[in-house]
Amino acid sequence: MKIQEIIDRQMSAFNNKDIVKMMSLYTDDTKIYTFSDHELVINGKKECEEMFVKLFEQSPDLNADFIKTIYFTNKAIVHEYVYGRNGIKEKKEQVVIFEIQDQKISRMDIIRE
């Protein structure tokens, strides 16, 4: 599977709140960091799944749209609009840098406005 397919599948699963399909795209040792201070906020697939389950429960209207995606080696830099997070209707911009290993997402660095 190409990196573009992995990112497209991740976005589709995210927008459909399909936790099973989403988590099938992540490695067991997935890590999520805040980009600004490189703080590790999620350590491992179990924590990642718990975070997404909670987010989906708290944000039934959550959705994301691609603005632009750049693919470079094993990374995808996704500039996107996210809306519906915790009931907030306005679109918020964010950038997520996905790192792919063995055709799965192994790391995410998140930049939010």
Side-chain angles (χ1 to χ4, degrees):
M1 183 173 7
K2 293 182 179 182
I3 191 169
Q4 293 91 334
E5 293 174 275
I6 295 165
I7 299 305
D8 286 345
R9 287 181 185 190
Q10 190 278 340
M11 180 70 87
S12 176
F14 179 87
N15 284 336
N16 289 309
K17 292 154 201 67
D18 187 334
I19 198 70
V20 173
K21 283 186 182 175
M22 239 179 108
M23 297 320 300
S24 72
L25 299 168
Y26 288 80
T27 62
D28 290 339
D29 61 347
T30 294
K31 295 187 180 356
I32 300 177
Y33 294 87
T34 57
F35 186 80
S36 59
D37 59 8
H38 303 288
E39 179 184 352
L40 178 65
V41 292
I42 298 294
N43 190 10
K45 189 174 186 174
K46 184 177 184 333
E47 283 185 22
C48 186
E49 181 173 358
E50 290 169 356
M51 182 267 302
F52 279 120
V53 166
K54 184 176 179 182
L55 179 63
F56 293 160
E57 287 173 354
Q58 294 175 341
S59 308
D61 296 326
L62 183 65
N63 216 328
D65 295 323
F66 289 123
I67 297 171
K68 181 175 179 92
T69 304
I70 299 169
Y71 301 100
F72 183 75
T73 63
N74 68 327
K75 293 175 182 58
I77 304 162
V78 178
H79 183 197
E80 62 189 2
Y81 285 121
V82 177
Y83 49 97
R85 183 186 309 261
N86 299 318
I88 298 171
K89 298 289 183 197
E90 73 179 273
K91 289 182 176 182
K92 297 280 189 172
E93 285 184 70
Q94 72 178 22
V95 173
V96 181
I97 303 168
F98 292 91
E99 187 170 319
I100 310 299
Q101 289 183 348
D102 299 323
Q103 298 189 341
K104 292 195 176 199
I105 298 165
S106 62
R107 177 180 172 140
M108 293 168 55
D109 290 84
I110 301 173
I111 307 163
R112 290 198 176 110
E113 63 174 340

